[in-house]
Amino acid sequence: MLVVAPVEESAGSREQARLEQRLRQFCDFLANPAYGWSDECLRHFGTHPVQVVYDWNAATHADEAEGEPERRAFTKPELEAFFDHADEEVLRVRGKGRKGWLPAFRDSALFKVAYAYGLRRNETRMLDLTDFGRNPEGREFGGYGTLLVRYGKAKKGSPPKRRSVLTVWHWTPGTIEEWISEVRPGTRHSTSRALWPSERGPRIGLQRLDSRFAAHRDAAGLDPALEFHSLRRSYITHLIEDGHDPLFVQQQVGHDHASTTAIYTCVSSDFRTRSLRRVLDATIEAALRPGRTS
């Protein structure tokens, strides 16, 4: 009997997950009565094939719980302070006549795009110039009405999950267009198809994303608990606070379950108070309305 022991996710466990997926598919093929292998095995060996890879014994994706209190979204004032500092850094470096203003501008635009579409780190770094498209229902966004995310978070043993994200904020196209048309052509690796080339290669790395985010966060005097993924939490939270339908938000960020989106939502106490006040006011108004029925 084959037993596959559960393991925590690492480079080795990701490879194990791929092997488990192949084994699972092979066992599905052998045990499927449509192919007749069960009957053949019974005739020749006196037994039949069965599935041996299940969710309980397969490699699992382990991550820190999103519900932990330190894993939170930016408040809107914090987010504004973060973006303001990123913009000021561009002006500061450029004012000194240094070429470092190009990567500084890239960082500023990159963080804004990650927030504007609720992206994870790898989804952000793997964007290409050709990933933007038009939305017939949002013509005001021009050629930046949709974003194709090609490297979404994959399930165990599966290829990256794709999704299309609709542009929701009017400032987003201008940010992207300025980077692509005016600034990116001056970078060293401008011939790369990657949206975010680095100083040394055709595509920025994950460690660079983390280090640049931390540098801006610390320089702006923000909470050290805030991380790159906080931009994604902020996107979800701010859409909910702005009144967008929860199902729309769930589809935008590519969550399979509404409960996952709910965990990411970090609405402010002011929003909760306003929501409660709105419900109470509606209840009182209905109760005082003449001619009401019991």
Side-chain angles (χ1 to χ4, degrees):
M1 176 180 178
L2 175 65
V3 177
V4 183
V7 296
E8 297 296 303
E9 185 178 46
S10 64
S13 69
R14 286 193 292 272
E15 178 61 25
Q16 178 177 336
R18 287 191 286 269
L19 293 174
E20 287 172 351
Q21 180 65 12
R22 294 169 189 153
L23 180 59
R24 188 198 294 260
Q25 292 173 340
F26 180 67
C27 290
D28 283 341
F29 167 71
L30 286 181
N32 192 325
Y35 299 107
W37 288 113
S38 294
D39 293 338
E40 287 295 317
C41 289
L42 280 172
R43 185 159 44 249
H44 288 86
F45 309 109
T47 186
H48 60 85
V50 296
Q51 180 60 262
V52 297
V53 182
Y54 302 93
D55 289 340
W56 61 266
N57 69 349
T60 58
H61 172 77
D63 196 6
E64 298 178 45
E66 269 296 328
E68 294 178 1
E70 63 272 17
R71 299 169 71 83
R72 66 175 182 87
F74 285 84
T75 64
K76 289 185 177 180
E78 285 176 332
L79 190 66
E80 184 175 355
F82 181 82
F83 288 153
D84 283 348
H85 177 270
D87 291 340
E88 290 165 1
E89 182 69 6
V90 177
L91 297 176
R92 184 186 69 82
V93 177
R94 191 171 189 178
K96 292 183 176 181
R98 292 160 52 186
K99 293 188 65 175
W101 77 272
L102 292 172
F105 195 104
R106 177 205 60 209
D107 294 343
S108 177
L110 183 152
F111 295 140
K112 291 173 184 176
V113 168
Y115 167 71
Y117 293 100
L119 303 178
R120 302 177 178 92
R121 286 188 314 158
N122 196 53
E123 293 174 348
T124 304
R125 71 175 290 268
M126 294 303 294
L127 291 179
D128 284 347
L129 294 169
T130 56
D131 289 337
F132 294 99
R134 296 182 178 275
N135 176 8
E137 302 302 324
R139 296 182 180 179
E140 64 269 32
F141 298 123
Y144 302 102
T146 63
L147 174 66
L148 174 62
V149 177
R150 295 174 295 105
Y151 287 87
K153 185 176 179 181
K155 293 184 178 180
K156 294 179 298 183
S158 299
K161 185 178 179 182
R162 294 190 173 204
R163 73 178 185 278
S164 290
V165 188
L166 302 180
T167 304
V168 295
W169 287 306
H170 288 83
W171 54 264
T172 306
T175 299
I176 302 168
E177 177 64 27
E178 186 177 13
W179 163 247
I180 292 178
S181 299
E182 300 180 25
V183 182
R184 189 184 176 281
T187 61
R188 180 179 179 183
H189 296 278
S190 60
T191 56
S192 165
R193 69 180 185 181
L195 181 61
W196 314 113
S198 74
E199 299 92 311
R200 301 179 181 176
R203 194 180 299 273
I204 194 170
L206 291 176
Q207 290 185 339
R208 180 65 173 172
L209 290 183
D210 287 339
S211 64
R212 295 308 303 149
F213 178 91
H216 284 294
R217 177 201 63 204
D218 296 344
L222 298 174
D223 185 353
L226 293 168
E227 56 184 352
F228 192 97
H229 208 67
S230 296
L231 295 170
R232 177 172 167 86
R233 300 186 194 105
S234 303
Y235 174 80
I236 295 172
T237 298
H238 297 163
L239 285 184
I240 293 296
E241 288 188 339
D242 289 345
H244 287 79
D245 186 275
L247 179 58
F248 170 77
V249 179
Q250 178 187 340
Q251 293 172 341
Q252 286 281 93
V253 295
H255 286 158
D256 291 330
H257 306 288
S259 57
T260 306
T261 309
I263 293 173
Y264 271 71
T265 306
C266 313
V267 295
S268 65
S269 58
D270 179 61
F271 173 78
R272 292 194 295 269
T273 300
R274 285 187 282 109
S275 297
L276 176 61
R277 185 72 267 163
R278 186 167 57 251
V279 172
L280 292 177
D281 289 346
T283 302
I284 293 173
E285 181 183 359
L288 298 177
R289 187 179 302 124
R292 70 184 188 279
T293 57
S294 303

